[in-house]
Amino acid sequence: MSKQAILYIRVSTATQIDGSGLDRQHNGALSYIAEMGWNLEATISDAGRSAFHAANRAPGSALHKFEMEALQGLHQGKVLVVENLDRLSRQGPKALTRLIFMLNDSGVDVAVCQNRKIFAAENSKDSTDDNEAMLNLFEGIFVGYRGKEESVTKSKRGKDLWVKRYANIENGTMGTMAGHAPAWLVVRDGKYVVDEHRGKILNEIFDLYISGVGIFKIIQKLNARGEPSWAIGKRKDKNKGWHLPYVHRLLTKRALLGEYVTLSGETLSRDFFPQAISHDKFNQAQAILTSKAKPRGRDARKMNNLLTGLVVCGVCDGKAGYENKGTNSVTSYI
């Protein structure tokens, strides 16, 4: 009876998801599995989960689920197939070897397509002699060390790039790009310009909101007439049109005024982008948003009912309300 194989594939970034990373791993592994005479039982994948930060082993990931099942003895006698060991972990040799040992102790072989190496469980028919097993182990340790070093280097390079980019933006260096341009902008001749149609949509949204039309009604209007949403990449395939959080963010985006604001809230430039909304419109929208903002803090959970504040206790004059016992964070859009 042929051995049952579980194929594990993983990529870290959205660019790799949209590219050929998953397909390359899948197709290469199928060839290897056929060569070994194994039977492919299932393919599991973690798309967009980093092995450097162990996101691919966190609860909710496919690899974490497989690990838990292996510890319960559900995969004894099977083989986990990966393109390379860095698909499993990039946290260094200790983390990688511990994972391999755990899988082996649970009766699971680990097979690597790239170099045709098998880290076999002791009772596996693919187990090797002690010398070869030791060589495989050292190779796994080296791969783990190299994978971590590569990830550290990439991480540092990415941070250095953003530090330089931020400095250029702050200094007003011409031609500096912001990475991903805001959805309402396009690049022409190396410069950002407002897309004519999307600029009109932005002004329509602000005009409607300032005139008293709520966000929910605005998205209903946009979706009813089939106005394409501005989602990109994989999100576009799953997107079902305009939605509340996105329109709410548009109404608060200072990039619409031309400003470049970092994720930490630091304003690096007041005129980095071309202005898409007038200051007057933007300020009017912020005033309306502020006036409609719901209370926050200790009593916020008790003040989330339409009748809150309208009913007053006849004994203590306290305002009545109800407490939401849920623990999930909920954002309100008005």
Side-chain angles (χ1 to χ4, degrees):
M1 182 177 178
S2 61
K3 179 171 289 189
Q4 297 296 103
I6 308 291
L7 170 58
Y8 176 67
I9 55 180
R10 179 193 65 79
V11 292
S12 302
T13 65
T15 302
Q16 292 172 312
I17 294 173
D18 293 336
S20 60
L22 292 175
D23 288 340
R24 184 199 68 241
Q25 294 176 51
H26 185 264
N27 295 334
L30 289 182
S31 176
Y32 177 49
I33 291 171
E35 174 187 322
M36 296 299 295
W38 297 330
N39 177 54
L40 180 62
E41 177 182 309
T43 298
I44 59 176
S45 66
D46 283 315
R49 288 182 178 267
S50 168
F52 179 49
H53 298 290
N56 67 315
R57 297 186 62 190
S61 69
L63 184 56
H64 179 268
K65 183 174 183 291
F66 181 83
E67 288 182 51
M68 296 302 100
E69 292 174 348
L71 286 170
Q72 296 172 37
L74 301 179
H75 296 299
Q76 286 190 15
K78 299 179 184 179
V79 56
L80 180 68
V81 181
V82 293
E83 179 188 48
N84 202 1
L85 289 177
D86 62 4
R87 296 301 94 193
L88 295 174
S89 175
R90 279 180 170 262
Q91 287 200 297
K94 288 184 179 179
L96 178 58
T97 52
R98 284 189 187 122
L99 174 57
I100 293 174
F101 284 160
M102 183 277 288
L103 291 172
N104 285 170
D105 289 343
S106 300
V108 180
D109 296 349
V110 177
V112 184
C113 300
Q114 195 170 81
N115 58 13
R116 298 311 199 249
K117 295 288 185 181
I118 299 177
F119 297 83
E122 286 189 11
N123 59 350
S124 171
K125 67 176 183 180
D126 292 311
S127 60
T128 57
D129 59 46
D130 290 344
N131 289 333
E132 186 174 350
M134 187 62 68
L135 289 174
N136 287 346
L137 173 60
F138 281 127
E139 184 172 342
I141 291 174
F142 173 73
V143 169
Y145 176 80
R146 185 185 62 192
K148 184 176 183 179
E149 288 297 299
E150 287 177 354
S151 293
V152 169
T153 300
K154 288 178 182 177
S155 178
K156 184 178 184 302
R157 189 183 298 132
K159 289 178 182 177
D160 290 344
L161 176 63
W162 277 105
V163 168
K164 182 179 180 180
R165 182 176 286 163
Y166 282 167
N168 287 338
I169 291 172
E170 197 166 15
N171 295 332
T173 303
M174 299 299 292
T176 303
M177 294 289 103
H180 292 294
W184 58 90
L185 300 180
V186 293
V187 179
R188 290 179 186 155
D189 299 324
K191 296 181 180 179
Y192 289 121
V193 296
V194 178
D195 179 87
E196 184 177 356
H197 178 71
R198 293 190 173 187
K200 291 179 180 178
I201 298 299
L202 281 172
N203 278 275
E204 180 185 2
I205 290 172
F206 272 80
D207 289 340
L208 287 169
Y209 190 67
I210 292 169
S211 69
V213 180
I215 296 178
F216 185 71
K217 291 294 184 182
I218 292 174
I219 65 169
Q220 280 187 323
K221 182 180 181 69
L222 294 173
N223 288 331
R225 73 179 189 221
E227 188 66 48
S229 68
W230 298 351
I232 59 174
K234 195 173 184 68
R235 295 177 184 175
K236 188 171 185 178
D237 298 332
K238 295 181 178 180
N239 193 274
K240 300 184 183 301
W242 293 81
H243 51 90
L244 287 167
Y246 189 76
V247 174
H248 184 271
R249 285 198 298 271
L250 284 179
L251 289 168
T252 60
K253 275 282 188 183
R254 298 196 66 84
L256 292 167
L257 300 174
E259 298 181 9
Y260 189 98
V261 183
T262 66
L263 293 176
S264 61
E266 181 183 2
T267 301
L268 299 182
S269 174
R270 298 288 181 184
D271 58 357
F272 180 75
F273 300 114
Q275 188 171 344
I277 293 292
S278 69
H279 280 83
D280 183 55
K281 276 186 186 180
F282 188 84
N283 290 336
Q284 286 186 63
Q286 304 322 297
I288 295 171
L289 284 166
T290 301
S291 69
K292 290 185 177 182
K294 292 194 174 184
R296 293 293 180 262
R298 292 179 60 187
D299 295 329
R301 291 170 61 195
K302 299 180 180 180
M303 302 287 284
N304 54 1
N305 187 283
L306 291 174
L307 299 179
T308 295
L310 298 181
V311 180
V312 179
C313 176
V315 177
C316 67
D317 290 330
K319 294 181 178 180
Y322 81 95
E323 182 174 355
N324 181 358
K325 297 292 185 178
T327 57
N328 292 330
S329 174
V330 178
T331 304
S332 298
Y333 304 97
I334 303 172

